[in-house]
Amino acid sequence: MSSYELPLRLFLAFRVLIDELHAELARQGHPDIRPMHGFVLQAIGAHGTTAVELGRTLGVSKQAAGKTIETLERLGYVERGVDPRDSRRKIVRISSKGYDALAKSARIFDRLRQGWAERLGEERLQALESDLRKVTPQDVWRLDVPGWFGA
Amino acid sequence: MSSYELPLRLFLAFRVLIDELHAELARQGHPDIRPMHGFVLQAIGAHGTTAVELGRTLGVSKQAAGKTIETLERLGYVERGVDPRDSRRKIVRISSKGYDALAKSARIFDRLRQGWAERLGEERLQALESDLRKVTPQDVWRLDVPGWFGA
DNA sequence: ATTTATAGTCAACCAGGTTGTCTATCGTGT
DNA sequence: ACACGATAGACAACCTGGTTGACTATAAAT
């Protein structure tokens, strides 16, 4: 096929996962969560963060990060509190609803991955994951912080 | 390995290709082309199309398609003419500048794919492409792209 | 001939990004 | 001790690319 196939298929593969995730999340009580909110919650992390910090992590301006936080707060996925040691900072923390969404997302992603493993074979899927790691930047934003999914 | 890694890596792999494409396109005389414009040109095709048709192909509203066409026309990548058999329709055709961008994009994608082939091995890359085809829809052009191309 | 469907445009709105400006607070160097 | 530079957050104006709804012109069907 065309030179466009590889990038397009990568994008479509991503979209397939994200679309199924959100259809399923909607069924499981999170109809208003938007694609990427899960990734933002991941980026916020278990210890909380601030707008400036989140902006740096995600590679956007602090104002953009602030708007996203505002949206997530309005939807109830994060809560904001003050930093007792620095009254300029407002700590953003994942709420219990946020943890619920994260836990459900993780389970759904695992199930979707299982579906792929059945279609491609676990071996081939592991090869695919390994190859993707080789062509993408390492150390994206620490995805393996322990204790993220418990609530 | 978190449940989020697979979708994230797919997205990052896509972004790596798109970012390098546009850096290179800018060097080759197309500094103002935006991520996705190439895909839209592909969707327009050699026979031309209309705003309504393009919207259907891309899975967006006719108004959104119209805005994108307007942008591409302003940048000189497409031209609009009337349909002699239906005076309501305005046919959108790829301009010579548009074809130049498409040809260069194809060459750049091919070169990027070659780089991956050298890093992963041609065999593994073909396996990856084959696996991606198995988990993505056949209808490659319905990719409600909005928002996903970032940058 | 009248009705219905279609193509395109305009307007209002939204999300999420940008830059610039401003205030409050912190931390440091003299 | 304190003045000053750096930082966190908020606000405003603006951009892009989506959305829906309303409207006009034209084509097609009954």
Side-chain angles (χ1 to χ4, degrees):
Chain A
M1 202 189 160
S2 91
S3 324
Y4 287 75
E5 180 169 5
L6 179 56
L8 205 41
R9 293 280 178 199
L10 287 167
F11 178 68
L12 286 173
F14 168 73
R15 279 298 306 269
V16 161
L17 291 178
I18 292 299
D19 288 351
E20 294 190 33
L21 169 73
H22 283 85
E24 189 56 35
L25 272 181
R27 271 175 238 126
Q28 296 187 17
H30 295 286
D32 47 11
I33 204 166
R34 308 248 309 108
M36 295 265 93
H37 281 171
F39 291 106
V40 174
L41 290 179
Q42 288 267 19
I44 290 170
H47 303 97
T49 185
T50 66
V52 166
E53 227 175 84
L54 182 61
R56 273 199 255 278
T57 306
L58 298 177
V60 300
S61 67
K62 60 181 181 176
Q63 293 91 334
K67 284 191 195 179
T68 301
I69 289 168
E70 207 173 337
T71 304
L72 285 172
E73 192 183 25
R74 184 170 37 79
L75 295 175
Y77 289 103
V78 303
E79 289 157 354
R80 267 191 284 196
V82 294
D83 184 338
R85 291 177 305 186
D86 184 341
S87 55
R88 293 170 307 175
R89 306 176 78 225
K90 295 194 177 170
I91 310 290
V92 181
R93 281 195 198 76
I94 301 174
S95 69
S96 57
K97 184 178 175 188
Y99 279 115
D100 182 67
L102 274 182
K104 283 177 172 154
S105 297
R107 262 195 282 112
I108 294 164
F109 274 141
D110 285 342
R111 204 170 43 67
L112 291 172
R113 186 193 179 283
Q114 190 52 36
W116 284 22
E118 278 156 25
R119 258 192 287 174
L120 306 177
E122 176 65 31
E123 221 171 284
R124 283 285 285 264
L125 180 54
Q126 280 181 22
L128 186 148
E129 289 170 333
S130 157
D131 288 344
L132 286 179
R133 272 182 219 115
K134 287 184 204 151
V135 295
T136 50
Q138 269 66 34
D139 182 34
V140 183
W141 56 98
R142 66 284 159 185
L143 290 165
D144 37 18
V145 175
W148 275 40
F149 314 106
Chain B
M1 144 86 165
S2 134
S3 322
Y4 287 76
E5 181 170 4
L6 179 56
L8 200 43
R9 294 279 179 201
L10 287 167
F11 179 66
L12 287 173
F14 167 74
R15 281 295 305 271
V16 161
L17 291 179
I18 291 299
D19 289 351
E20 295 190 31
L21 170 72
H22 282 84
E24 189 55 35
L25 271 183
R27 272 176 236 123
Q28 296 187 15
H30 294 285
D32 46 11
I33 206 167
R34 307 252 309 113
M36 140 183 76
H37 282 171
F39 291 105
V40 174
L41 289 180
Q42 287 272 92
I44 290 172
H47 304 97
T49 186
T50 66
V52 167
E53 227 175 82
L54 182 61
R56 273 200 255 277
T57 305
L58 298 177
V60 299
S61 66
K62 59 182 183 176
Q63 295 93 330
K67 282 192 197 180
T68 302
I69 289 167
E70 208 173 339
T71 304
L72 285 172
E73 191 183 26
R74 184 169 38 76
L75 296 175
Y77 289 102
V78 302
E79 290 156 354
R80 266 191 284 195
V82 294
D83 183 339
R85 291 177 305 189
D86 184 339
S87 57
R88 291 171 306 177
R89 307 175 77 224
K90 296 194 179 171
I91 310 291
V92 181
R93 283 194 196 75
I94 302 174
S95 70
S96 56
K97 185 179 176 188
Y99 279 116
D100 182 66
L102 274 182
K104 282 175 172 154
S105 296
R107 261 195 282 113
I108 294 164
F109 274 141
D110 286 341
R111 204 170 45 64
L112 291 172
R113 187 194 177 282
Q114 189 51 36
W116 283 22
E118 279 156 23
R119 258 194 285 175
L120 306 177
E122 176 65 30
E123 220 171 285
R124 282 286 284 263
L125 181 53
Q126 280 180 23
L128 187 148
E129 288 171 332
S130 157
D131 288 343
L132 286 179
R133 271 182 221 114
K134 286 184 204 151
V135 295
T136 51
Q138 303 310 77
D139 183 7
V140 126
W141 288 118
R142 263 204 85 91
L143 35 52
D144 327 282
V145 182
W148 284 114
F149 279 86

